[in-house]
Amino acid sequence: EHWRQGDAVASTAGNGVYGRLVYLRPGSSMNTQHLVDAKRRVAFVADGKSWAGTIGLSASEILLRNGVPQSWIDGEREIGTRFVLALFDDDGTICPATWDGLEKMIDIYYAGEIAKKMKPHWSILGSTSWNKLEELAGTTFTALEKEGPMTPELYLQVADTTINARRFLADSVSVNRLFSGTGFTVDERNPQREGTAEFFA
């Protein structure tokens, strides 16, 4: 209620609570909307302390601080998307959005062949930037996107390369180019500033 009214609260007000801005595109409602796209098995969330700190900010500003690219926000605005804050308690599965946490999520929610195929690539993924991966692959992620999204089904069929593993994470788990693996978001306007604490759920 404080968040909705824009009233300041103590930083401890959100202890034990996590949340995410859910996007409601035209024709959808909170009764039918998932926390993330129904095809995605993992969601990025922020803790209650972080949400308490966003009171009074616009949805666009919050999304930018949470590591969402401006281009995506602009596209959603154009089609009339609304953003609603969904809050929930920890069910025991939430973990920091680090590379170790991401590996844990893949092992849990993509157990089996996908987790097995990802396994050899974690050390490189965690130590190699998005731009460096493009350099090593001799191509760009933008160029590869023309082939279509790297769905779980497609990932099992393509060559076993690190760039394909990274494409899978970007397309199927929303781990985009701004993911730092430190447990904090990156605001593309000021990458050096420590962002919001982020978690996987």
Side-chain angles (χ1 to χ4, degrees), residues 98-195:
T98 61
W99 284 108
D100 286 344
L102 182 55
E103 182 176 0
K104 176 183 177 181
M105 291 292 102
I106 296 300
D107 286 344
I108 293 173
Y109 296 106
Y110 292 90
E113 291 303 309
I114 289 180
K116 181 179 179 181
K117 190 170 185 177
M118 288 291 303
K119 190 67 68 176
H121 303 291
W122 288 116
S123 60
I124 299 175
L125 290 170
S127 61
T128 310
S129 70
W130 181 274
N131 291 339
K132 186 63 176 179
L133 284 175
E134 290 183 325
E135 180 183 328
L136 293 173
T139 187
T140 66
F141 285 101
T142 300
L144 292 171
E145 285 175 3
K146 297 177 182 178
E147 301 174 2
M150 184 65 75
T151 63
E153 296 77 15
L154 181 58
Y155 178 58
L156 291 176
Q157 300 172 21
V158 297
D160 189 8
T161 64
T162 301
I163 198 163
N164 279 336
R166 190 64 184 85
R167 284 181 64 202
F168 165 71
L169 293 175
D171 291 345
S172 294
V173 195
S174 295
V175 180
N176 65 31
R177 62 183 172 80
L178 296 177
F179 179 71
S180 67
T182 63
F184 291 88
T185 61
V186 173
D187 184 336
E188 63 181 351
R189 301 168 301 176
N190 185 2
Q192 303 307 314
R193 183 178 66 187
E194 184 174 85

